[in-house]
Amino acid sequence: ATGSAETPKCHGCMGVRFQTKPGGPAHDIILHVRMMDRYRLQQQESLGVLGTNLIHSAFYHRKNQEEFVHRLVDNLKKGQILIDYFEASGPELEHFDNRRINLLLVKMGLSEAVLFGSDQKPQVIADEVFQKALLIQRGHYRPMTTSHQDMMKKGLEQLKSDIKSLKLKPHDVVTFNEIEISNTTDLDDIIMRIEMLSLMGLRVLVTHFPLYYQMKSFFRRYTQNPMILMMSASHLDRIFNPEHYKNLEGGIFEGLGK
């Protein structure tokens, strides 16, 4: 979907299917991309660079998955492209851990958030949350406790009550367990937590949003239905710390209002 300065909703899938030798098996790499440039010509140029990098990396940098990710954004400025879904498959890409690569995209600032299903496979966030009612619980999950489960149960009851008047059906309610990561996060630790939560049949959202209003703004691109963001008491200090809202004209009042 292309966009303009007036309607900056620009996203789409791109990928490459290739063989490493004549007559050999096919290998696939698929991305879901959001274009952040203001004008269509800029978006077109950015996609062209990304596509060229994708093809070049598939043939010359597939031995190392971290190098592959870094090479994807060669000659792109920070913030031009966001990649919120990555999936690679094929005999010579078996060493690619799609979980780690998606997490690396968030850690590097190339994605704001990535989503993993209960099978630990990455999912396209826009497809999963479009016009859904959302229940998102932020936590460290070291480990998942009965308190987490009780909070999620109560939140789900409240959300179902809120959507009755909107004539939404049960399958229109989506729940996520969210983990925030930073530039210094140990990805092995995050993967262990994803594995633990997936064994409980839960979907895991991993984001780079230190503040809740940033997460809310992100999901409002895809749905206007009710949204509940749940947290433990340990997060209250961060929410009411005015230092976190210095970049907003209205300070903490604007941040809380969002």
Side-chain angles (χ1 to χ4, degrees), residues 62-93:
R62 65 177 183 272
K63 300 299 182 183
N64 184 297
Q65 58 184 355
E66 293 200 8
E67 181 185 3
F68 181 96
V69 174
H70 284 279
R71 292 293 185 176
L72 271 181
V73 291
D74 277 353
N75 299 312
L76 287 171
K77 296 179 182 178
K78 186 176 181 179
Q80 281 188 290
I81 289 286
L82 294 177
I83 305 170
D84 58 16
Y85 175 88
F86 179 99
E87 184 175 9
S89 60
E92 294 196 33
L93 298 176

Side-chain angles (χ1 to χ4, degrees), residues 36-258:
M36 307 306 291
D37 283 314
R38 185 175 179 85
Y39 299 108
R40 291 177 180 172
L41 181 59
Q42 295 172 319
Q43 296 164 17
Q44 178 182 335
E45 292 174 347
S46 297
L47 278 182
V49 172
L50 180 62
T52 302
N53 290 344
L54 176 60
I55 295 172
H56 185 270
S57 298
F59 282 100
Y60 298 107
H61 301 290
R62 65 177 183 272
K63 300 299 182 183
N64 184 297
Q65 58 184 355
E66 293 200 8
E67 181 185 3
F68 181 96
V69 174
H70 284 279
R71 292 293 185 176
L72 271 181
V73 291
D74 277 353
N75 299 312
L76 287 171
K77 296 179 182 178
K78 186 176 181 179
Q80 281 188 290
I81 289 286
L82 294 177
I83 305 170
D84 58 16
Y85 175 88
F86 179 99
E87 184 175 9
S89 60
E92 294 196 33
L93 298 176
E94 289 182 348
H95 60 288
F96 273 39
D97 184 343
N98 289 321
R99 301 170 304 175
R100 177 176 291 277
I101 293 178
N102 279 275
L103 292 174
L104 185 60
L105 290 170
V106 179
K107 184 175 181 178
M108 291 174 56
L110 297 176
S111 177
E112 294 174 308
V114 292
L115 176 64
F116 299 94
S118 57
D119 57 1
Q120 301 184 46
K121 292 182 179 179
Q123 297 179 330
V124 178
I125 293 177
D127 293 345
E128 298 300 318
V129 306
F130 183 73
Q131 296 306 338
K132 304 288 188 183
L134 304 179
L135 174 62
I136 303 171
Q137 182 183 47
R138 169 169 285 187
H140 299 296
Y141 307 112
R142 295 191 182 105
M144 181 75 161
T145 66
T146 53
S147 296
H148 289 123
Q149 294 172 316
D150 289 343
M151 287 175 62
M152 185 65 85
K153 181 180 178 181
K154 295 297 183 182
L156 189 56
E157 291 174 357
Q158 179 63 48
L159 184 57
K160 287 181 177 178
S161 175
D162 292 344
I163 66 174
K164 282 183 179 178
S165 61
L166 301 176
K167 298 181 179 179
L168 294 176
K169 298 178 180 179
H171 65 261
D172 291 322
V173 176
V174 178
T175 63
F176 300 134
N177 294 80
E178 186 259 356
I179 302 172
E180 178 205 350
I181 68 174
S182 67
N183 298 333
T184 59
T185 299
D186 180 2
L187 297 186
D188 290 326
D189 177 52
I190 300 297
I191 290 173
M192 288 178 62
R193 284 186 264 171
I194 291 172
E195 291 173 347
M196 176 195 66
L197 293 169
S198 68
L199 290 174
M200 303 176 69
L202 301 174
R203 293 201 281 183
V204 183
L205 177 71
V206 181
T207 75
H208 210 311
F209 301 127
L211 300 174
Y212 280 88
Y213 79 84
Q214 297 169 323
M215 191 190 312
K216 180 182 177 183
S217 298
F218 173 81
F219 282 109
R220 282 298 178 224
R221 300 186 187 118
Y222 309 114
T223 180
Q224 297 304 312
N225 283 319
M227 181 190 314
I228 293 178
L229 305 178
M230 303 178 63
M231 74 198 83
S232 65
S234 62
H235 291 272
L236 292 177
D237 285 345
R238 178 185 293 186
I239 290 177
F240 291 105
N241 186 345
E243 294 294 318
H244 294 143
Y245 304 96
K246 283 185 173 181
N247 61 323
L248 298 178
E249 185 176 346
I252 187 172
F253 295 106
E254 181 180 346
L256 294 177
K258 288 185 174 184

